[in-house]
Amino acid sequence: MELTVAIPTTPTGGAAISLRDVIRIYREVDVETIALRGIDLEIEAGEFVAVIGRSGSGKSTLLNLIAGSDRPTAGRVVVAGIDLARAAEDERSLLRGRTVGIVYQSQNLVPTLSLLENVALAAALAGRPADEPTCRDALEILGLAERGDHRPEQLSGGEQQRAALACVLAGHPSVLLADEITGELDSAAAASVLDAVDRAHRATGATVVLVTHDPDVAARSQRIIELRDGRVVVDQRLS
C-alpha cells in the first residue's frame, strides 16, 4: 500500500530544514547553559538523517528547534520555508500540526481507544482524512494491519512504538522527527521499529530526523550527524 505526501518546495535551495549560526542558551536565575553553539546545517527534502551524541550534547534541543516547540537564542531555523525563529506561535503550531510529525520515546496513545481509533483521532486532529480505509493504510505500512482493533495495552512495546508512528503518519507530515524511539526496547523490538521507519520513509518520501544515542540505530540512516557540546563534530553521508 502506498501513502504519499506532498513535500513543500522551500526557498532554501531544496532544503527541508536549514539552520544558520544557531545558538540556544538556557538561563535560570544565575545559571547559564549553552546547549547549541553556532549550528550550521542543511537537511534536504526526503533525506533520512540520524543525530547522535552523548547526553547533554544538544540532540533534544536541536529537535525541539526543528519542531518549532522552542526558539533559538540567535540564528535562523527554517523548516518548509518558515523561519521558526521569527514565526508567531500560531504559525509554529500549525506547522507542527500539518507539516512536522513527532514521535517520542513515550508513545502517548489513548489507552481506552483501539489502535484504529487512535490513528483516526490523530488524523482528525491534524485536519486529515480520518476514514477507516485511510487509517488502515497507515497501519498497513507499519505492519499493524491485523492489530487495528486492539487497545495499546494489548500490544508489545515495539508494536506500541509502531502504532505511535502510524498515528503520526496519519497526519501526512513532510518532516518526521523521532526522539530516541528505540531507547526502551530490546534489540528485536528496536529492529522492528527501525524497519517500520524505513518503510515509512520509502512510502511517504518524508524527511526523517532520528535522534538516538545508539550508533547501530544511526547506521540505518542515510546520513549521520554527531553533536558534541552543542557543536556538529561529524557530518557523514552513508548512502
Side-chain angles (χ1 to χ4, degrees):
M1 185 67 63
E2 184 178 1
L3 180 67
T4 58
V5 297
I7 305 298
T9 57
T10 74
T12 55
I17 301 165
S18 178
L19 290 85
R20 287 286 177 267
D21 198 20
V22 171
I23 297 170
R24 183 61 174 108
I25 302 173
Y26 296 102
R27 296 182 176 91
E28 186 173 348
V29 191
D30 295 328
V31 178
E32 181 176 277
T33 302
I34 305 176
L36 296 177
R37 303 168 183 264
I39 297 291
D40 287 306
L41 185 64
E42 284 203 353
I43 298 175
E44 299 300 314
E47 271 197 293
F48 181 178
V49 176
V51 179
I52 65 172
R54 295 179 179 178
S55 178
S57 62
K59 303 188 304 298
S60 293
T61 298
L62 178 65
L63 206 69
N64 289 335
L65 291 175
I66 295 172
S69 56
D70 193 10
R71 292 181 188 268
T73 305
R76 301 183 69 212
V77 179
V78 179
V79 178
I82 299 174
D83 186 346
L84 298 181
R86 295 167 175 80
E89 177 56 34
D90 58 350
E91 191 175 12
R92 293 189 294 134
S93 296
L94 185 61
L95 182 88
R96 290 194 296 274
R98 295 293 181 89
T99 302
V100 177
I102 312 169
V103 187
Y104 295 102
Q105 191 174 62
S106 56
Q107 295 88 8
N108 295 324
L109 299 169
V110 181
T112 57
L113 300 181
S114 70
L115 177 49
L116 188 63
E117 290 168 335
N118 267 279
V119 174
L121 175 62
L125 290 174
R128 304 296 187 179
D131 58 282
E132 183 172 336
T134 299
C135 294
R136 287 198 183 276
D137 285 353
L139 292 178
E140 185 169 339
I141 289 174
L142 279 303
L144 294 168
E146 306 303 320
R147 307 291 269 169
D149 296 327
H150 291 71
R151 291 191 301 276
E153 66 182 16
Q154 297 173 297
L155 305 177
S156 69
E159 288 173 330
Q160 289 183 30
Q161 196 60 273
R162 284 187 280 146
L165 183 55
C167 289
V168 171
L169 287 182
H172 293 256
S174 59
V175 175
L176 176 63
L177 308 179
D179 191 5
E180 296 283 7
I181 58 173
T182 62
E184 296 182 350
L185 303 177
D186 61 33
S187 57
S192 73
V193 170
L194 291 172
D195 288 343
V197 173
D198 283 338
R199 288 196 300 273
H201 177 241
R202 291 194 301 269
T204 66
T207 306
V208 178
V209 181
L210 172 69
V211 165
T212 182
H213 66 278
D214 188 338
D216 291 334
V217 171
R220 299 285 295 267
S221 69
Q222 298 171 332
R223 176 183 174 192
I224 295 177
I225 295 168
E226 182 179 355
L227 297 183
R228 186 181 303 154
D229 298 327
R231 294 186 174 92
V232 175
V233 294
V234 174
D235 189 345
Q236 178 186 10
R237 296 187 184 275
L238 305 179
S239 62

